[in-house]
Amino acid sequence: MDELMEYEDVVAHYDPVLGIEIHVELATDTKMFDAAPNVFGGEPNTFITPVSLGLPGSLPVVNKKAIEYAIRLGLALNCKIAESCRFARKNYFYPDLAKNFQTSQSDEPLAYDGYLDVELDDGEVFRVPIERAHVEEDAGKNTHIGGEGRIHGADHSQVDYNRAGVPLVEIVTRPIEGTGARAAEVAAKYVQTVRDIARAIGVSEARMERGNVRADVNVSLRKSPSDPLGTRTETKNVNSFRAIENAVRYELSRQAAVLEFGEKVFQETRHWQETDQSTLPGRPKSDADDYRYFPEPDLVPLAPSREWVEEIRQSLPELPAAKRKRLQREWGITDLEMRDIVNAEALTIIEDTVTAGATSAGARKWWMGELARYAKENELALTDVPMSIEDVAAVDRMVADGKLNDRLARSAIEGVLAGEGSPEEVVAKRGLEVVSDDSALIAAIEAAMEANPKVVESIKGGNAKASGAIVGAVMKATRGQADAKRVNELIAEKLGL
């Protein structure tokens, strides 16, 4: 591992500058320039056409849906949409790029000059400037056999072109300045915000574990904000928010140590290593000129009409930031409570549970409590917990109707998670319903009072809290199936209070 400076010392003595490139795979039915299916997985090299492989004589045709999705994303990122743009050939050789060039956009992107407001953990909003969001195609996928999956030391490599030609939008920021000590957090939150927007507007599944969203993170250091930008490194294809945050911290610490030793930072790509939380050098980073861009001769320029762009703008749904503010207002919760929900990635599932009939307080309580604990213990995402939003809503309705108290509801949830059936079936099998028969409750109250005469006298003397002992005895006698509120009412009636 390289020499490192403590992160706190780095941000105390240097000014970090970020630059982030995000690739978002668009969820179209077919690829960017041909009719091959745009499907994740599958047998290698089965979702391909001559265009995917760039075979001689094949000609690309632009996917209109991909352009529509790219415009949606550009508008959601507050970008301007070009009245005219065109594709270019980005020339470089790599085995997963059969054509030896990538069809991309260079100096005439579809969307440009935007920004995104990113909410940090403490509620501070940081504005990230966006230079452009251009359309391009994805490359295939290399698998290196041997060498622990890395090209270095591998015996041979295999290439799957199923992904070649999948439509991408590459979102490129301008230099992100002024982050200071929060550079790592800003980087991760920015990518998360873009991911959330891509999902909300329906242009991508945006599943980072599948590579639908991938981030290249550029970082550099300079002594002062008034100094020229330092030499940057680009850590490629970081695919989790935690990894992005850690990669930024590592690279800043590494670069600072290099500079402290009086050495130079090399402009290069680097690769994030989850195993030891470090980066390794890749290849010298090329400037745009090295790619010898030139206009794609097989595609005419694009000129999306202003009417079409406005139709797309009007069709955009409520964006995540606005939705969070609306739901926070409707649910009557604090900023901190909403941030906890967002950080737990539970907002959508809670909202859907409310839509299915739960109260907002109940949906939050069960998903952020019992079900979050179950997910953590079993290393699952909340969405993979074996209990549907309808089941959670059913439990919450039974609580609201007085059929279950909180303890019984937790038992019902436990039964559903254990595969015992629907909430109604679990309640019936386990005999969980609240005792609603007043005569049974009165009998239990009288028995508790007879066993606790001093408590009764204390209640009569004005000590209302003493009734807790009677309620507890009744709950024990009914195996927790009494309605505590009703028991308190009956105690008061019994004692004429």
Side-chain angles (χ1 to χ4, degrees), residues 110-434:
L110 177 63
Y112 62 98
D113 200 11
Y115 66 87
L116 188 59
D117 288 333
V118 177
E119 186 173 339
L120 305 181
D121 281 340
D122 63 356
E124 180 185 342
V125 175
F126 191 94
R127 176 162 291 187
V128 173
I130 293 173
E131 179 180 296
R132 66 183 189 272
H134 64 254
V135 183
E136 62 184 23
E137 61 180 343
D138 209 344
K141 180 182 178 183
N142 294 323
T143 302
H144 307 297
I145 309 302
E148 298 181 345
R150 300 172 186 163
I151 192 169
H152 299 290
D155 298 323
H156 61 281
S157 298
Q158 298 173 333
V159 188
D160 177 7
Y161 289 106
N162 281 352
R163 200 177 63 184
V166 166
L168 297 176
V169 172
E170 181 176 351
I171 304 159
V172 182
T173 69
R174 299 186 189 283
I176 304 170
E177 304 176 73
T179 58
R182 310 194 75 170
E185 181 187 358
V186 168
K189 286 292 181 183
Y190 166 66
V191 178
Q192 183 175 359
T193 305
V194 171
R195 190 278 308 264
D196 292 345
I197 287 174
R199 284 183 178 172
I201 64 176
V203 302
S204 174
E205 292 184 30
R207 295 178 61 170
M208 295 192 76
E209 75 277 13
R210 286 189 175 183
N212 295 147
V213 175
R214 309 189 294 272
D216 300 339
V217 184
N218 292 262
V219 301
S220 65
L221 289 173
R222 57 187 175 185
K223 276 292 187 182
S224 161
S226 60
D227 291 341
L229 295 176
T231 302
R232 72 184 190 280
T233 60
E234 179 179 342
T235 304
K236 301 288 288 185
N237 294 329
V238 193
N239 62 357
S240 79
F241 306 129
R242 178 64 64 190
I244 291 167
E245 193 163 348
N246 289 339
V248 170
R249 294 177 72 92
Y250 182 89
E251 264 305 284
L252 291 178
S253 300
R254 187 191 67 82
Q255 289 189 14
V258 170
L259 295 173
E260 288 297 303
F261 278 110
E263 299 174 358
K264 290 183 179 179
V265 174
F266 290 105
Q267 184 169 318
E268 61 185 358
T269 64
R270 297 185 69 89
H271 303 291
W272 175 244
Q273 307 295 309
E274 275 293 339
T275 48
D276 63 357
Q277 301 287 293
S278 70
T279 64
L280 288 177
R283 58 179 169 79
K285 175 60 180 173
S286 302
D287 287 321
D289 290 345
D290 297 325
Y291 291 120
R292 295 176 292 113
Y293 282 101
F294 66 85
E296 166 58 62
D298 292 333
L299 293 169
V300 298
L302 288 176
S305 73
R306 296 303 91 182
E307 292 78 13
W308 189 38
V309 171
E310 288 310 308
E311 283 178 17
I312 295 171
R313 190 195 305 277
Q314 295 304 317
S315 72
L316 286 175
E318 185 180 35
L319 296 181
K323 176 183 281 191
R324 286 197 298 273
K325 285 185 171 57
R326 175 177 59 80
L327 291 176
Q328 183 180 338
R329 189 170 56 250
E330 291 176 0
W331 294 350
I333 61 177
T334 65
D335 291 347
L336 180 59
E337 287 171 325
M338 177 54 84
R339 284 201 294 276
D340 286 344
I341 291 171
V342 172
N343 290 336
E345 300 207 2
L347 183 61
T348 299
I349 205 163
I350 290 174
E351 183 190 12
D352 290 346
T353 306
V354 173
T355 302
T359 62
S360 62
R364 287 189 289 116
K365 178 169 66 178
W366 304 125
W367 282 113
M368 296 293 288
E370 302 299 308
L371 297 166
R373 273 194 291 279
Y374 179 90
K376 184 177 181 181
E377 290 169 3
N378 292 278
E379 298 182 347
L380 296 172
L382 269 184
T383 49
D384 294 329
V385 166
M387 186 163 181
S388 69
I389 57 174
E390 289 79 14
D391 285 345
V392 178
V395 169
D396 192 58
R397 281 197 300 272
M398 284 190 271
V399 173
D401 293 342
K403 294 178 180 177
L404 296 177
N405 57 28
D406 281 3
R407 194 190 73 81
L408 297 174
R410 284 194 289 273
S411 182
I413 289 172
E414 178 187 280
V416 175
L417 293 173
E420 296 174 18
S422 68
E424 293 81 1
E425 291 169 336
V426 172
V427 167
K429 288 177 183 175
R430 294 193 174 193
L432 296 178
E433 279 207 35
V434 162

Side-chain angles (χ1 to χ4, degrees), residues 19-68:
I20 302 177
E21 301 167 11
I22 302 177
H23 291 86
V24 179
E25 281 189 358
L26 302 179
T28 52
D29 293 333
T30 56
K31 293 185 179 179
M32 186 65 233
F33 300 113
D34 66 284
N38 177 12
V39 178
F40 177 80
E43 289 296 316
N45 298 311
T46 53
F47 303 143
I48 55 176
T49 70
V51 177
S52 306
L53 301 177
L55 296 182
S58 60
L59 291 173
V61 177
V62 172
N63 184 330
K64 183 179 179 182
K65 180 59 76 174
I67 299 301
E68 177 189 330

